[in-house]
Amino acid sequence: MRVHNFCAGPCTLPLEVLEEVRDELVDFRGSGMSLIEMSHRSPEYEAVHEEALSLFRSVFVVPADRTILFLQGGATLQFALVPINLLGEGQRAAYVRSGTWGKGALKDAAAWGDAYAAWDGEPVGFTRMPQAHELEIRTDTRYLHVTSNETIEGIRMASFPDPGVPLVGDLSSEYVSRPIPWERFDVVYGGAQKNLGPAGLAVVVVRTDLLERVRTDLPSYLRYDAHAAKDSLMNTPPMFAIYVMGKVLRWIEGLGGVEAMAERAERRSGAVYDAIETSEGFYRSPVDAADRSHMNVVFRTPSDDLDAAFVKEAEGGGLVNLKGHRSVGGIRASIYNAMTDEGVDALVGFMGTFRDANG
Ligand SMILES: *Cc1c(COP(=O)(O)O)cnc(C)c1O
């Protein structure tokens, strides 16, 4: 029996996709071997690769003047590759220090070059995102890095800033779940494992004209332009993750694409926030209402003991991975693209039952 898996990442995937993968795993489309046993230069794999690239572009509505890269090293390697590729002599990088991931991105950028916090959410306990007028952009700033959704703290940028410098976005936990204003972004990146597929793949979208200006005095894997020149086949790509992501993108396309995912996320997270708001104080969200994540709903009961009991009893009912991140505690329900409506309904139902029994 499959459970309702609210894991923050890697995430639940569509059952249809898993079943297709199972059916193709041993003998890929009559080739007599598995895709994961093939050369990445084989025509079979090349077709899978090209299809995943073109689906990512069409489903996420990526403009024609952007290059899509399939890389390894997760979103974490991009914390380094963004400043390494983009920062020139005398330039610095601004970061919104909005939570665990924004903090991590700034730390890695500062290990490489001149990087600073344009806003710091730590004094407010990472419970909200900055307002536009709170961002302090210094001279010679090459880009402003934003984390669209802080996966651990459960906060999201309801709209993206327009600070007068290009944006770089870590979209990991909202990838292909919300439309974005592409014209403001030089680079968008994210790991696939939160919304789009298995771990091992990061997708990076770079403005193509920048590739002529990025640093080239670097080892090859670190160079965006080198990956772009080979269509992300400079070395062996994470073939299995790309293949599964292609199927997930096809599934998203069938449901109506990124706009449909955004509506679905708003509706489903809204159902859980409603259950919190109508619980007469039994459940609480620590997050400012305007910045509540549509993907990672973070909440608490009246006590740590009840939080633990909630997680344990939910598990008994087939609702798993609801424990908050170890750094913040509480409860977190990650409702990514592939979470089913039944899973969300079951969670809301369980929240009511648990409150009635313990309130
Ligand atoms: C999970 C996550 C990361 C780290 O991703 P990896 O692929 O594990 O490196 C970075 N940023 C955000 C917003 C995340 O949710």
Side-chain angles (χ1 to χ4, degrees):
M1 187 199 84
R2 280 187 49 91
V3 293
H4 298 301
N5 177 8
F6 294 91
C7 190
C11 64
T12 190
L13 292 173
L15 180 59
E16 301 92 303
V17 167
L18 294 175
E19 287 175 343
E20 265 181 49
V21 170
R22 177 197 60 201
D23 293 346
E24 291 180 342
L25 189 65
V26 174
D27 179 2
F28 183 76
R29 298 177 193 169
S31 64
M33 60 181 132
S34 180
L35 182 87
I36 54 177
E37 300 173 301
M38 276 179 199
S39 165
H40 57 294
R41 313 276 174 209
S42 63
E44 287 91 343
Y45 177 70
E46 279 192 354
V48 165
H49 192 89
E50 286 311 312
E51 188 182 11
L53 280 169
S54 89
L55 278 165
F56 191 92
R57 187 179 296 281
S58 61
V59 175
F60 201 23
V61 204
V62 178
D65 61 357
R66 311 289 149 132
T67 297
I68 299 167
L69 306 176
F70 290 161
L71 304 182
Q72 305 196 46
T76 302
L77 181 59
Q78 297 313 309
F79 290 176
L81 291 196
V82 164
I84 286 175
N85 278 270
L86 298 191
L87 271 191
E89 260 322 288
Q91 294 181 321
R92 48 190 162 190
Y95 281 72
V96 177
R97 203 164 173 276
S98 47
T100 305
W101 296 117
K103 228 163 68 172
L106 172 56
K107 190 159 174 261
D108 278 0
W112 170 260
D114 188 354
Y116 66 94
W119 182 77
D120 188 358
E122 192 152 12
V124 296
F126 299 127
T127 53
R128 67 174 183 91
M129 287 288 184
Q131 313 226 322
H133 68 85
E134 294 177 292
L135 295 169
E136 289 174 31
I137 308 292
R138 302 180 191 161
T139 52
D140 299 322
T141 294
R142 169 68 184 81
Y143 61 81
L144 174 69
H145 180 283
V146 298
T147 308
S148 76
N149 181 75
E150 286 285 357
T151 319
I152 291 176
E153 289 80 5
I155 55 176
R156 130 191 231 267
M157 289 190 157
S159 60
F160 290 101
D162 199 352
V165 295
L167 296 181
V168 169
D170 174 0
L171 269 283
S172 292
S173 47
E174 288 191 313
Y175 233 5
V176 194
S177 309
R178 72 186 290 183
I180 71 162
W182 285 104
E183 68 286 355
R184 291 186 216 163
F185 284 90
D186 271 6
V187 176
V188 163
Y189 67 87
Q193 75 276 13
K194 304 257 167 65
N195 255 314
L196 298 178
L201 168 65
V203 184
V204 182
V205 185
V206 195
R207 250 181 53 203
T208 304
D209 62 347
L210 289 180
L211 294 169
E212 286 161 26
R213 289 187 266 141
V214 294
R215 265 181 86 143
T216 53
D217 57 340
L218 294 165
S220 54
Y221 201 88
L222 307 186
R223 290 173 51 177
Y224 285 154
D225 67 318
H227 289 289
K230 300 284 188 209
D231 287 330
S232 301
L233 284 162
M234 179 178 75
N235 71 329
T236 318
M239 297 162 66
F240 185 71
I242 291 168
Y243 156 72
V244 178
M245 183 182 71
K247 288 190 186 295
V248 173
L249 288 166
R250 170 88 58 218
W251 174 85
I252 293 174
E253 182 180 56
L255 290 175
V258 66
E259 296 277 359
M261 289 300 111
E263 280 165 30
R264 194 173 140 96
E266 184 167 4
R267 169 173 57 79
R268 301 184 325 163
S269 61
V272 183
Y273 289 120
D274 280 349
I276 295 170
E277 293 308 324
T278 58
S279 71
E280 287 162 4
F282 183 77
Y283 298 113
R284 287 166 301 114
S285 158
V287 172
D288 271 21
D291 294 337
R292 286 179 181 171
S293 172
H294 291 182
M295 290 287 148
N296 313 97
V297 182
V298 169
F299 59 100
R300 290 178 173 277
T301 67
S303 73
D304 290 351
D305 285 350
L306 278 175
D307 288 351
F310 180 99
V311 170
K312 186 151 180 274
E313 279 179 39
E315 201 171 307
L319 305 165
V320 309
N321 287 319
L322 283 163
K323 197 170 183 309
H325 190 268
R326 59 187 186 282
S327 63
V328 297
I331 300 162
R332 171 175 56 171
S334 295
I335 305 170
Y336 293 126
N337 289 346
M339 173 52 64
T340 58
D341 283 353
E342 293 73 49
V344 177
D345 292 346
L347 173 62
V348 168
F350 175 76
M351 288 171 73
T353 313
F354 187 82
R355 187 196 66 159
D356 291 345
N358 298 282

